[in-house]
């Protein structure tokens, strides 16, 4: 966002102009200038908080920088920047970002559930993942073949058909597993009646799958959902549809009929859609620093598709990150949202979880506002949290333990 220098500010109010030219009014609640730069902490005014742009219960940390024309710009500090900011402050020997692993699994063909193509190997590779990113072709190009079953046959682009091909193979593999589960539960029910509900539940699921519907769309109670989750079903995994478009389609997403079809399907099944352009991603990957930033600005986007995919994956899997800091290492750790402090400590080392005493915690934004952890501690912002504390995204934590 840019600063409206023609605005005469009253008291501690500031008006920001977003990339679309819309004005947003904020109140300045704190300012800080140190060796790392000049920062502002802002909260939206009541008028602006009524929009979808800002949350009145949160404040936002911005760094004030100058653009190439010498004009002041406010750049919001995003989660991806937290570790870099810490490293600038502590100059650690090592900086370790959080990691999310993407595995490129070779495409499948019709009949994979019966062993066609890579068959069971393909399905087993998917079984080892936490979620599925399904790259779907959403562009026309006579020079690039669209293959479904026969590598010698070029067929019309059909994103919904492609999705159905994958889904049906996953569903057929799941149906086989569910039927085996029903058979096993039926035998167990002869000696223990508690398995009767399992027989009933998985029999209903088998009918759902047999109708060509994924396990994701099978509506059950939370208790039954936990029981179904023990079956490790492929079509139960959360999914992101990465809609791959050409440059023209990416620039005019509202006019891309293929993208709209994928979005409508995703809405029906509670999946997510990530619009991307593989050609542009390749160009972005070849650039560094300012050149990369300028190219993104020319495209009218703030982040690469890969960065957006990582954030989308974190949200899909319910993941957050907390930070540990010091001269030896600054590191981001990935945990499930809702994780308590001792279990978060266990991500670092089992001894820390076993001997957990307390977690000295400060919110990253609070630390930036104060300029350092020491300054935040003087203001009483460094908290001592116990075993029941639920770690929040962006928490900076120093664990005290004894073994």
């Amino acid at each position: 966002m840019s600063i409206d220098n023609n605005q005469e500010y009253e008291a501690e109010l500031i008006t920001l102009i977003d990339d679309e030219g819309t004005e947003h009014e904020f109140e300045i609640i704190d300012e800080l200038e140190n060796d790392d730069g000049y920062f502002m902490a802002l909260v939206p005014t009541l008028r602006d908080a009524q929009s979808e742009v800002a949350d009145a219960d949160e404040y936002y940390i911005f760094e004030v920088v100058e653009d190439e024309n010498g004009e002041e710009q406010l750049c919001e500090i995003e989660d991806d920047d937290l570790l870099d900011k810490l490293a600038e402050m502590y100059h650690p020997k090592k900086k370790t970002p959080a990691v999310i692993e993407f595995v490129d699994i070779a495409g499948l063909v019709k009949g994979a559930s019966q062993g066609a193509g890579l068959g069971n190997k393909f399905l087993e590779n998917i079984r080892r993942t936490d979620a599925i990113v399904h790259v779907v072709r959403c562009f026309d190009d006579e020079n690039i073949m669209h293959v479904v079953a026969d590598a010698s046959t070029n067929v019309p682009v059909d994103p919904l058909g492609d999705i159905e091909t994958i889904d049906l193979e996953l569903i057929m593999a799941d149906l086989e597993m569910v039927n085996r589960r029903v058979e096993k539960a039926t035998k167990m029910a002869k000696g223990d009646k508690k398995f009767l509900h399992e027989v009933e539940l998985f029999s209903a699921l088998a009918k759902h799958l047999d109708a060509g519907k994924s396990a994701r769309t099978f509506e059950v109670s939370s208790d039954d959902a936990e029981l179904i989750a023990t079956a490790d079903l492929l079509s139960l995994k959360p999914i992101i549809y990465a809609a791959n478009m050409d440059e023209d389609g990416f620039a005019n997403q509202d006019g891309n009929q293929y993208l709209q079809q994928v979005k409508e399907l995703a809405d029906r099944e509670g999946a997510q859609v990530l619009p991307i352009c593989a050609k542009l991603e390749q160009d972005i990957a070849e650039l560094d620093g300012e050149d990369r930033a300028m190219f993104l600005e020319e495209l009218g986007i703030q982040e690469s598709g890969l960065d957006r995919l990582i954030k989308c994956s974190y949200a899909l899997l319910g993941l957050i990150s907390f930070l540990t800091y010091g001269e030896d290492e600054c590191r981001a750790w990935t945990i499930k949202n809702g994780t308590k402090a001792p279990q978060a400590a266990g991500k670092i080392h089992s001894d820390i979880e076993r001997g957990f005493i307390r977690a000295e915690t400060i919110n990253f934004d609070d630390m930036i506002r104060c300029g350092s952890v020491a300054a935040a501690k003087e203001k009483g912002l460094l908290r001592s949290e116990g075993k029941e504390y639920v770690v929040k995204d962006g928490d900076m934590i120093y664990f005290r333990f004894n073994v």
Side-chain angles (χ1 to χ4, degrees), residues 125-175:
N125 286 337
I126 293 183
R127 202 176 301 281
R128 291 198 295 266
T129 66
D130 296 311
I132 299 171
V133 179
H134 185 175
V135 181
V136 185
R137 177 171 173 174
C138 292
F139 66 92
D140 292 308
D141 190 330
E142 295 179 355
N143 298 316
I144 302 177
M145 288 186 66
H146 179 229
V147 176
V148 177
D150 184 352
S152 64
T153 305
N154 188 15
V155 300
V157 174
D158 180 13
L160 298 187
D162 293 344
I163 291 172
E164 183 182 19
T165 297
I166 298 284
D167 278 353
L168 283 178
E169 295 306 323
L170 302 185
I171 289 168
M172 293 304 293
D174 284 347
L175 182 58

Side-chain angles (χ1 to χ4, degrees), residues 183-208:
E183 292 175 5
K184 181 180 178 181
T186 300
K187 292 178 181 179
M188 298 295 290
K190 292 178 180 179
D192 190 341
K193 298 299 182 183
K194 73 177 183 181
F195 286 96
L196 288 175
H197 177 66
E198 186 170 329
V199 173
E200 180 182 348
L201 175 64
F202 279 92
S203 295
L205 177 57
K207 291 181 180 179
H208 181 83

Side-chain angles (χ1 to χ4, degrees), residues 8 12 15 54 72 85 117 120 127 137 156 188 264 299 370:
E8 293 185 5
E12 295 296 312
T15 299
E72 288 184 329
K85 291 295 179 183
N120 293 330
R127 202 176 301 281
R137 177 171 173 174
M188 298 295 290
E264 290 174 6
L299 295 174
C370 296

Side-chain angles (χ1 to χ4, degrees), residues 208-312:
H208 181 83
L209 294 171
D210 196 39
K213 301 175 183 178
S214 69
R216 287 189 303 275
T217 62
F218 186 57
E219 297 183 3
V220 292
S221 67
S222 57
D223 288 341
D224 284 346
E226 290 181 7
L227 182 57
I228 291 174
T230 63
D232 194 23
L233 301 179
L234 298 172
S235 67
L236 189 62
K237 294 182 182 293
I239 190 166
I240 298 171
Y241 294 118
N244 183 25
M245 296 169 280
D246 57 18
E247 295 182 50
D248 290 339
F250 187 77
N252 181 27
Q253 295 181 18
D254 290 340
N256 188 311
Q257 59 174 335
Y258 298 136
L259 174 61
Q260 302 310 317
Q261 291 172 9
V262 175
K263 283 185 174 181
E264 290 174 6
L265 173 66
D267 287 342
R268 290 196 299 270
E269 61 178 37
Q272 297 191 34
V273 178
L274 181 73
I276 60 169
C277 174
K279 175 61 173 67
L280 290 177
E281 289 303 309
Q282 181 180 0
D283 295 339
I284 292 170
E286 294 172 354
L287 300 174
D288 294 315
E290 293 184 3
D291 290 337
R292 187 172 185 269
M294 289 177 61
F295 185 57
L296 289 174
E297 186 177 351
E298 290 175 3
L299 295 174
I301 57 178
Q302 297 180 341
E303 299 173 301
S304 70
L306 178 59
D307 290 337
R308 289 184 290 116
L309 176 58
I310 291 172
K311 288 186 175 181
C312 192

